Amino acid sequence: KLGFGVVAFACTTCNGMSGALDPVIQKEVVERDLYATAVLSGNRNFDGRIHPYAKQAFLASPPLVVAYAIAGTIRFDIEKDALGLDQDGKPVTLKDIWPSDEEIDAIVASSVKPEQYRKVYGPMFALTVDNGERVSPLYDWRPMTTYIRRPPYWEGALAGARPLKDMRPLAVLGDNITTDHLSPSNAIMADSAAGEYLAKMGLPEEDFNSYATHRGDHLTAQRATFANPTLKNEMVTENGKVKAGSLARVEPEGKVMRMWEAIETYMERKQPLIVIAGADYGQGSSRDWAAKGVRLAGVEAIVAEGFERIHRTNLVGMGVLPLEFKRGVNRLTLAIDGTETFDVVGERMPRSDLTLVIKRRNGEQVEVPVTCRLDTAEEVSIYEAGGVLQRFAQDFLESEKAA
């Protein structure tokens, strides 16, 4: 028998809210390291987006999604192989069940009516006058919420200096790191750092929701930083191969632990951090938390072979310095293994050359020219202020004084 689940109409395939897998199935996928896949008619197919344990996702038309669901595997010739047998034992192929345009038009005509839209959207835009009780324009922050919490962007560590000295790598990454690797938005798993935090806050697992829905609470959202189970941090290896997972190696001890525990460890030490990456860093969705998360973790700079345009802008907006290796230079040619500490030296000007000082564990010191990816004078100003929010606050206070 085929098993199909019905989920609420919401951010299903786009945001990975298709619902939890059957626990028995999930246990098999994890323990046997099965190559589970998803086929969807949505618009997102990044690693782990549809479900943390779906290693790959394929985009298809709605009828093909149904066909692959019936087939139960993507190792299926959709044009030739049989989906099953009919009542007479004859094979049924896709062309036998594919609806005609006339059948589709008839279903739409019988099911979609203008009054359905008028009923919903008419009252939405109807003008009403409310002369009721006036309320305070200031939000009443609630200490125990997990959805909207007073943000920390003007205080604490974020209000401090960013000396760009003695930074330790939080992660050494390869090419094509997406914002889903940096800060996934899909469903929160019970065994994740965010899931454990929500459980401590008294939420039952069925109410965990997604990372995206908790973006207004930094204590939940920052636990999504590098929380993608398909992440490959080259600082973490097993039997000579990079081990996938939300993992980090805390230095100088060399101890491997979950990424969030590593971030907490470095926070307690007030250790400034850096991320080293390959080409096309930050591609995918323009997710603000992909920049917020690393900044709250204590990352002061990211050095990559190249940046996706919107994510680079978001890093600047959060006061994280984007630096670009010169052509032909990268983490591999420099033999970066994560045991080093890093300084950034030089005057920050639009696309100026700065020096990345690599201090190796054996005492060797290497100076590498890098390009400052603050591309305009305005971006330099925003970065030096600490980020776009700090810059806005400064401008606002100055205008108040002038008035």
Side-chain angles (χ1 to χ4, degrees), residues 254-270:
K255 183 178 180 181
V256 173
M257 61 182 72
R258 188 163 62 176
M259 179 63 74
W260 174 246
E261 275 71 44
I263 290 172
E264 284 189 309
T265 300
Y266 284 135
M267 282 179 172
E268 290 172 4
R269 297 176 181 178
K270 295 181 168 48

Side-chain angles (χ1 to χ4, degrees), residues 79-211:
E79 294 182 331
K80 298 178 181 178
D81 293 345
L83 294 167
L85 303 177
D86 65 13
Q87 294 175 335
D88 299 323
K90 297 179 179 179
V92 178
T93 61
L94 179 64
K95 64 182 180 181
D96 298 322
I97 63 172
W98 191 277
S100 67
D101 290 348
E102 292 75 19
E103 288 175 305
I104 294 172
D105 290 342
I107 290 292
V108 171
S110 66
S111 305
V112 182
K113 306 292 184 182
E115 54 266 27
Q116 295 169 335
Y117 296 90
R118 295 191 187 106
K119 182 178 179 181
V120 173
Y121 292 104
M124 189 181 297
F125 295 102
L127 179 64
T128 59
V129 178
D130 184 359
N131 293 316
E133 179 184 355
R134 291 186 175 275
V135 297
S136 169
L138 299 178
Y139 185 75
D140 184 18
W141 301 104
R142 293 170 293 169
M144 292 302 291
T145 182
T146 62
Y147 279 99
I148 181 166
R149 185 184 297 273
R150 182 186 175 102
Y153 305 123
W154 288 277
E155 54 206 13
L158 294 194
R162 292 155 296 158
L164 300 168
K165 291 186 179 297
D166 297 321
M167 296 176 287
R168 285 199 175 276
L170 178 61
V172 177
L173 306 168
D175 299 339
N176 303 316
I177 295 298
T178 72
T179 52
D180 270 55
H181 290 115
L182 303 176
S183 184
S185 67
N186 56 9
I188 297 174
M189 309 299 288
D191 60 353
S192 67
E196 292 172 2
Y197 169 73
L198 292 175
K200 289 179 181 178
M201 293 292 284
L203 266 68
E205 185 178 349
E206 58 266 26
D207 291 338
F208 281 2
N209 217 319
S210 68
Y211 289 109

Side-chain angles (χ1 to χ4, degrees), residues 55-383:
K55 293 184 178 180
Q56 225 174 354
F58 298 91
L59 306 183
S61 66
L64 284 180
V65 171
V66 175
Y68 277 108
I70 294 172
T73 176
I74 59 166
R75 292 182 173 180
F76 181 82
D77 189 327
I78 206 73
E79 294 182 331
K80 298 178 181 178
D81 293 345
L83 294 167
L85 303 177
D86 65 13
Q87 294 175 335
D88 299 323
K90 297 179 179 179
V92 178
T93 61
L94 179 64
K95 64 182 180 181
D96 298 322
I97 63 172
W98 191 277
S100 67
D101 290 348
E102 292 75 19
E103 288 175 305
I104 294 172
D105 290 342
I107 290 292
V108 171
S110 66
S111 305
V112 182
K113 306 292 184 182
E115 54 266 27
Q116 295 169 335
Y117 296 90
R118 295 191 187 106
K119 182 178 179 181
V120 173
Y121 292 104
M124 189 181 297
F125 295 102
L127 179 64
T128 59
V129 178
D130 184 359
N131 293 316
E133 179 184 355
R134 291 186 175 275
V135 297
S136 169
L138 299 178
Y139 185 75
D140 184 18
W141 301 104
R142 293 170 293 169
M144 292 302 291
T145 182
T146 62
Y147 279 99
I148 181 166
R149 185 184 297 273
R150 182 186 175 102
Y153 305 123
W154 288 277
E155 54 206 13
L158 294 194
R162 292 155 296 158
L164 300 168
K165 291 186 179 297
D166 297 321
M167 296 176 287
R168 285 199 175 276
L170 178 61
V172 177
L173 306 168
D175 299 339
N176 303 316
I177 295 298
T178 72
T179 52
D180 270 55
H181 290 115
L182 303 176
S183 184
S185 67
N186 56 9
I188 297 174
M189 309 299 288
D191 60 353
S192 67
E196 292 172 2
Y197 169 73
L198 292 175
K200 289 179 181 178
M201 293 292 284
L203 266 68
E205 185 178 349
E206 58 266 26
D207 291 338
F208 281 2
N209 217 319
S210 68
Y211 289 109
T213 58
H214 292 276
R215 68 181 67 180
D217 170 29
H218 61 278
L219 295 183
T220 304
Q222 71 186 97
R223 285 169 166 79
T225 304
F226 292 120
N228 192 313
T230 68
L231 179 76
K232 290 187 176 180
N233 182 356
E234 295 174 0
M235 293 175 63
V236 180
T237 59
E238 188 175 70
N239 299 323
K241 294 183 178 180
V242 178
K243 184 177 181 179
S246 180
L247 301 168
R249 191 183 76 221
V250 172
E251 293 292 345
E253 302 92 328
K255 183 178 180 181
V256 173
M257 61 182 72
R258 188 163 62 176
M259 179 63 74
W260 174 246
E261 275 71 44
I263 290 172
E264 284 189 309
T265 300
Y266 284 135
M267 282 179 172
E268 290 172 4
R269 297 176 181 178
K270 295 181 168 48
Q271 171 65 56
L273 301 173
I274 190 171
V275 171
I276 311 296
D280 296 323
Y281 180 84
Q283 61 181 260
S285 300
S286 55
R287 187 163 303 134
D288 57 343
W289 265 102
K292 289 178 180 176
V294 293
R295 181 70 185 96
L296 287 173
V299 173
E300 295 185 4
I302 293 176
V303 191
E305 293 176 61
F307 292 89
E308 192 278 335
R309 175 178 56 87
I310 297 176
H311 182 63
R312 185 199 63 82
T313 303
N314 287 344
L315 289 172
V316 176
M318 283 306 299
V320 179
L321 183 63
L323 301 169
E324 193 168 303
F325 286 119
K326 299 295 184 180
R327 185 180 295 274
V329 179
N330 56 47
R331 72 199 188 284
L332 301 177
T333 63
L334 295 170
I336 294 172
D337 62 12
T339 60
E340 308 87 350
T341 60
F342 297 80
D343 296 347
V344 177
V345 180
E347 184 180 4
R348 292 178 289 274
M349 300 290 287
R351 298 191 70 91
S352 62
D353 280 354
L354 301 177
T355 300
L356 179 70
V357 182
I358 305 173
K359 294 177 284 187
R360 302 194 191 277
R361 185 166 50 180
N362 62 6
E364 180 189 2
Q365 188 165 299
V366 180
E367 295 188 356
V368 180
V370 291
T371 301
C372 173
R373 287 304 311 273
L374 302 173
D375 290 353
T376 66
E378 180 69 10
E379 288 188 346
V380 172
S381 175
I382 289 171
Y383 171 80

